Amino acid sequence: IDGCLNDDGTFADYPMISITDNELFLTYNAVNADSSWQTGFFGTQIHQINKMNGYNGEPLNRKVWKDITYNGRLLRNICPVRNADETLPSSMYFLSDRNFDLSNDTIFLLHLTGKQDDPDPTLEMTHRILDQPYGVPPYAVQKKDSMDTNDARVLDAFEQNGTIQWVSNSMDFNSGRSAVFHGVLHLPQLQDVAYGHIIAHPTDYIGYPGISWTGSDPSQQDAIILVSHCSPTRNPGASAIYSDGLGQYSDFVSIIEGTRPVDMLTGTVERWGDYAGIQRLYNQPGSVWVSCSYGRQGNVNEAWIAKLARNEENVGTHEATTEEIGVTAYPNPTDNYVTIDIDNPEGKNITVALFDASGKPVQTLFDGPSEYAGKTSLNFGIHTLPAGQYLVKVMLDHKEVVTKSIMKL
């Protein structure tokens, strides 16, 4: 995708994406190629792209929204609001704020409806007033030099059941250190209000957060928030904190501890290795994958990938019966491959065996440990088998739980 529309002398900075049922949305800042990203800002653009064009290998049809202002002032760093789970919305929300202000209590809410080829798509803009201001953060301090925190732009956001949550860098107005702002707004709420909380570490500078929903029920609003950390006595690394969605937060949990300060750039201002990434595991509610960074030998930043999960406070366990183990096989009939989805709540060893219609063993398709508890999807090619009816037997810890019939065309 060309990041310089119409050869206008700009370049694309800070791209973000999100998807709906039919489209992909790309936002980026257009910046004068002869200036810095701070001073050469030409406005944030929203590219509304036909997703199916990309899937089909066709030229991408897109509509570009630019010169996006509120009360005559350009909006900057417009962040797409992704859906919290695997279901895809039919329209897209976006957030923006006044990221360079020392203190501000306004969050801007944009709603884009209509497809890119519709004659009258609309981009509606409103604002909400926060009960807690945010503000541009100071540099973070490590053992050697400082860490750049950029500004207070919205860095990540999701929508779940009519509620949007987002995170950004901020000033901690009590300590003067860099911190994280966690915001919440309710879409059905008629009043122009929103709610915020500054998450601050008792001793460290933190920044560059990401957020992901960890609920197992649509009514829940709990989330894991990922942050980078450092201090004059603590090397750059990453931590996480849990929000219960009701205004309570856990203690910080260390994900990776750095072994060296970061010293990669000329001058005295370094980078953590930002930005952080966090993604919900759709087949394991309550779990997320994160990508973060830390300082290591050679005084460089390095990526670190980890899997996190919320603590379940009241978890009852019992032996799952055969009737409770869900197994599906699809497509059925099939002439090429078959996918077996297995509910494996306790993460037991899995055996999948194939038999012909008379019960004669044909092939053991899988026999080994599960990577995690929850739903497991296994894909098998059966194109070399003769046409006919087959039986798929699924066992957990070598105990048969179900037998499914499939038809090979």
Side-chain angles (χ1 to χ4, degrees), residues 217-239:
D217 182 271
S219 64
Q220 297 173 336
Q221 292 293 337
D222 58 301
I224 289 177
I225 298 172
L226 171 68
V227 303
S228 294
H229 67 241
C230 69
S231 78
T233 59
R234 191 181 189 189
N235 288 316
S239 299

Side-chain angles (χ1 to χ4, degrees), residues 4-316:
C4 177
L5 287 179
N6 305 318
D7 294 323
D8 60 1
T10 64
F11 68 90
D13 182 48
Y14 191 62
M16 304 182 81
I17 62 170
S18 190
I19 58 174
T20 60
D21 50 0
N22 292 304
E23 295 182 312
L24 179 144
F25 290 84
L26 164 70
T27 67
Y28 64 70
N29 296 331
V31 179
N32 189 322
D34 297 325
S35 305
S36 69
W37 65 266
Q38 294 96 332
T39 62
F41 177 68
F42 266 45
T44 299
Q45 298 179 1
I46 300 174
H47 293 236
Q48 187 177 6
I49 302 169
N50 186 324
K51 196 166 62 175
M52 297 312 297
N53 290 150
Y55 290 154
N56 296 332
E58 302 166 348
L60 297 178
N61 293 322
R62 56 176 166 165
K63 178 178 177 61
V64 180
W65 302 79
K66 56 183 181 177
D67 300 322
I68 303 169
T69 62
Y70 196 88
N71 288 341
R73 186 177 171 189
L74 285 169
L75 293 185
R76 190 166 189 153
N77 308 305
I78 296 174
C79 175
V81 179
R82 55 191 165 88
N83 214 52
D85 61 15
E86 65 271 27
T87 59
L88 295 177
S90 59
S91 62
M92 181 59 62
Y93 287 94
F94 304 85
L95 294 176
S96 182
D97 62 11
R98 297 305 190 193
N99 56 300
F100 285 133
D101 287 2
L102 295 177
S103 179
N104 198 303
D105 63 359
T106 302
I107 185 75
F108 300 98
L109 175 65
L110 294 76
H111 188 203
L112 201 161
T113 57
K115 303 297 185 286
Q116 52 87 30
D117 56 355
D118 287 350
D120 297 307
T122 61
L123 181 62
E124 299 176 346
M125 287 179 277
T126 59
H127 74 278
R128 301 285 181 97
I129 301 300
L130 291 153
D131 62 347
Q132 166 65 59
Y134 56 87
V136 65
Y139 287 149
V141 179
Q142 56 171 339
K143 292 180 179 180
K144 179 181 180 181
D145 298 339
S146 300
M147 286 291 198
D148 201 346
T149 53
N150 278 0
D151 50 46
R153 73 186 69 178
V154 177
L155 292 168
D156 200 4
F158 70 78
E159 185 270 332
Q160 169 61 26
N161 201 27
T163 295
I164 292 177
Q165 298 189 47
W166 75 92
V167 287
S168 66
N169 291 338
S170 181
M171 161 76 80
D172 175 14
F173 297 103
N174 292 321
S175 69
R177 292 190 294 268
S178 62
V180 164
F181 187 88
H182 178 208
V184 178
L185 66 83
H186 305 297
L187 293 173
Q189 197 163 22
L190 298 179
Q191 297 90 346
D192 293 333
V193 296
Y195 310 94
H197 180 80
I198 292 181
I199 301 172
H201 194 279
T203 58
D204 295 353
Y205 296 79
I206 59 174
Y208 293 104
I211 186 170
S212 190
W213 183 56
T214 51
S216 56
D217 182 271
S219 64
Q220 297 173 336
Q221 292 293 337
D222 58 301
I224 289 177
I225 298 172
L226 171 68
V227 303
S228 294
H229 67 241
C230 69
S231 78
T233 59
R234 191 181 189 189
N235 288 316
S239 299
I241 192 168
Y242 172 76
S243 165
D244 69 356
L246 301 172
Q248 300 299 313
Y249 298 84
S250 72
D251 294 332
F252 285 92
V253 175
S254 175
I255 300 172
I256 178 67
E257 291 296 324
T259 59
R260 299 286 192 280
V262 174
D263 185 14
M264 300 174 65
L265 305 177
T266 56
T268 60
V269 181
E270 298 291 333
R271 305 289 296 196
W272 258 299
D274 38 67
Y275 298 83
I278 182 168
Q279 173 62 48
R280 173 182 172 88
L281 274 74
Y282 296 138
N283 63 341
Q284 288 184 265
S287 298
V288 299
W289 282 105
V290 301
S291 175
C292 48
S293 62
Y294 68 103
R296 66 165 176 83
Q297 188 174 3
N299 298 106
V300 298
N301 54 44
E302 183 70 83
W304 186 262
I305 296 174
K307 181 182 177 184
L308 309 180
R310 70 175 185 178
N311 284 325
E312 302 291 348
E313 295 182 357
N314 297 298
V315 180

